Each structure stands twice: as C-alpha cells, then as structure tokens.
Amino acid sequence: MRKNLVVGNWKMNGDKAQNEALLQSLSTACIAEKVTVAVCAPFPYLAQCQQVLDTSCMAWGAQDVSEHDAGAFTGDVSASMLVDFGCQYVIVGHSERRALHGESDEVVAQKARQALNAGITPIVCVGETADEQESGLTHAVVSRQLAAVIDLLAGDTTSIVLAYEPVWAIGTGKNATPAQAQAVHAQLRAQLIGSGAGDVPILYGGSVKADNARELFSESDIDGGLIGGASLKSEDFLAIIQAAIEV
Ligand code: PEP
C-alpha cells in the first residue's frame, strides 16, 4: 500500500519568527505512522528547519535545485548543498519555475537526476495551463512532461514523487474536482506502470484546503497533496494532514 504523503510548499513566504512558530506547532503535533509530512522552505531557512525538525517525525526540503554539480552558477544551489542541511525532498519543475524561469522539461529532468544522485527525493511537478486545459491538451501536456523525466532517469524513476498540479488551480481557490484529478492521476499511473514505476506516489496540488482534502485524498490514485497557501497556517495544514490520515 502506498503511504499518504503531505508536503507543504511555502514558496517565497515566511520569516524567522513566523517559521519558528509554525515549525514548532507542526513538530509537536501528533502525526500518525500512516502519513509522511514534509515542508519545503526557501533556501535561507533550511538550517532553521533542520534545527527545529531534526528530532521530530517531519521531513523538510527545498523548492528547487541546480541541474549542475558545482561551479560557476551564481545564485544556484546544488543537491549536495541541500544534503548538508538534511533535506530529504526537493520540488522540481513547479509551474512557477517553468513559467517564470523558463525551465524546460529537460532541465526539470536533469534537476530530478541531480537530486536522486545526492540521495534526495525529487517531487516532480507536472500540470497544464488553463488554455491547455480548455484546448483539451491536459493529457498530452502532463504525459510529455513526465516522459522527459522517465527518459532521462530510465530505471531510477521508482524513487521519485510525482505531483499533478493544474496551473489553473494553483493559488486560485479553484481546485480540480476529485474526479477530474483522479482521471489525470490514473493516466499518469498508467504511464508510470509502463516504465516499471507504478508505486511512485502521485500527489495532487492546487488549492487543497481543509474542506476539500478528504474528498481528493479518497481517490484511488491520489496519494497525498502538495499544499501551497494552506501550508502556511498550522491549523489548516494540520487539518489537511488529518484528512490524509483518515482516508
Ligand atoms: C503550489 O504552489 O504548489 C500549490 C499547490 O499552491 P496552492 O495550494 O496555494 O494552490
């Protein structure tokens, strides 16, 4: 059985004092064995995550990683640097990075490979824009994005986490319905099975809240969530974690 995974994506939010309060309340909350919980923080706060969460049952990670090992890449952060701060996860290919930083499918795949080489689990994001959805291109877009990762990683695909995040649902309050999300997840699952990686957890992300999490997580191919805005308030995030535990 796949275990539910709930990951918070803080994006470029937080400060030392706010993070301290949020991490403390999450770390002291009772999290059952049935769910794995992680937060992905901005780079400067990874040391703070390590300090506060080290003895907790929560994991932490980053929101991006360089596709290179080391060298003249000003402003970039390598996978081995993330290891130094205890990261177990890194988000790669978030739609904001694809759109705002021009990351191609191939660059996203290279980032996933860097993470795996360093022993970090990449959370590979795929998802279609509103225009693509309206043009009936959802399946074509997400399978192309996943195929780039499968091709580059070959046999290593079993160690990734996949996140389906429709771009039109991110930060908009307009989540995919459970049936809509399940249909895409089932297609992604079939593609993963075809590459020998059928057990890869597939998270749903895009306006997951305490009041829709349970319904989404109940779907057979939704193995948890990647949570943006609602991961910034401990009460909301804990309610989503609880939904993952109870389904
Ligand atoms: C995200 O950015 O990964 C995300 C899912 O955001 P939100 O939950 O705020 O829609």
Side-chain angles (χ1 to χ4, degrees):
M1 200 184 88
R2 291 181 295 270
K3 187 171 157 182
N4 272 322
L5 170 64
V6 179
V7 180
N9 173 15
W10 290 0
K11 311 195 188 201
M12 199 172 71
N13 291 298
D15 60 33
K16 251 176 131 176
Q18 283 171 15
N19 301 346
E20 183 72 22
L22 177 57
L23 291 171
Q24 288 293 356
S25 73
L26 294 175
S27 72
T28 52
C30 173
I31 293 168
E33 280 175 10
K34 229 189 127 198
V35 68
T36 302
V37 181
V39 291
C40 290
F43 293 132
Y45 300 122
L46 292 176
Q48 189 181 21
C49 289
Q50 186 173 34
Q51 190 200 352
V52 179
L53 299 179
D54 214 15
T55 53
S56 80
C57 53
M58 278 185 57
W60 61 95
Q63 300 168 16
D64 184 36
V65 66
S66 172
E67 66 269 41
H68 304 289
D69 286 334
F73 302 102
T74 302
D76 286 352
V77 172
S78 71
S80 61
M81 293 171 186
L82 299 184
V83 171
D84 270 347
F85 289 91
C87 290
Q88 285 172 253
Y89 295 94
V90 63
I91 297 170
V92 298
H94 191 280
S95 59
E96 287 151 15
R97 295 212 59 89
R98 290 181 191 261
L100 303 174
H101 298 267
E103 292 186 6
S104 66
D105 296 341
E106 290 67 34
V107 165
V108 172
Q110 281 159 8
K111 290 182 173 203
R113 185 167 64 185
Q114 285 294 329
L116 287 172
N117 287 349
I120 297 174
T121 302
I123 301 171
V124 177
C125 298
V126 298
E128 82 287 4
T129 63
D131 282 352
E132 289 164 339
Q133 193 215 23
E134 278 156 28
S135 310
L137 293 173
T138 300
H139 288 208
V141 170
V142 299
S143 66
R144 186 204 73 222
Q145 291 172 331
L146 177 57
V149 175
I150 290 173
D151 288 351
L152 192 83
L153 296 183
D156 273 350
T157 318
T158 49
S159 310
I160 70 168
V161 168
L162 185 62
Y164 169 54
E165 296 209 305
V167 180
W168 49 268
I170 295 181
T172 58
K174 217 167 84 177
N175 62 288
T177 65
Q180 260 176 330
Q182 168 59 26
V184 180
H185 281 230
Q187 178 215 337
L188 293 168
R189 176 82 62 212
Q191 195 174 352
L192 287 165
I193 289 170
S195 76
D199 283 336
V200 159
I202 310 178
L203 311 184
Y204 168 77
S207 296
V208 178
K209 303 269 183 282
D211 61 7
N212 61 19
R214 185 184 303 260
E215 255 195 313
L216 286 159
F217 297 165
S218 298
E219 294 292 340
S220 58
D221 287 300
I222 299 184
D223 305 318
L226 181 55
I227 319 297
S231 71
L232 296 170
K233 282 198 197 144
S234 67
E235 208 181 292
D236 294 349
F237 196 45
L238 287 169
I240 292 169
I241 293 165
Q242 192 57 35
I245 291 170
E246 287 171 8
V247 291

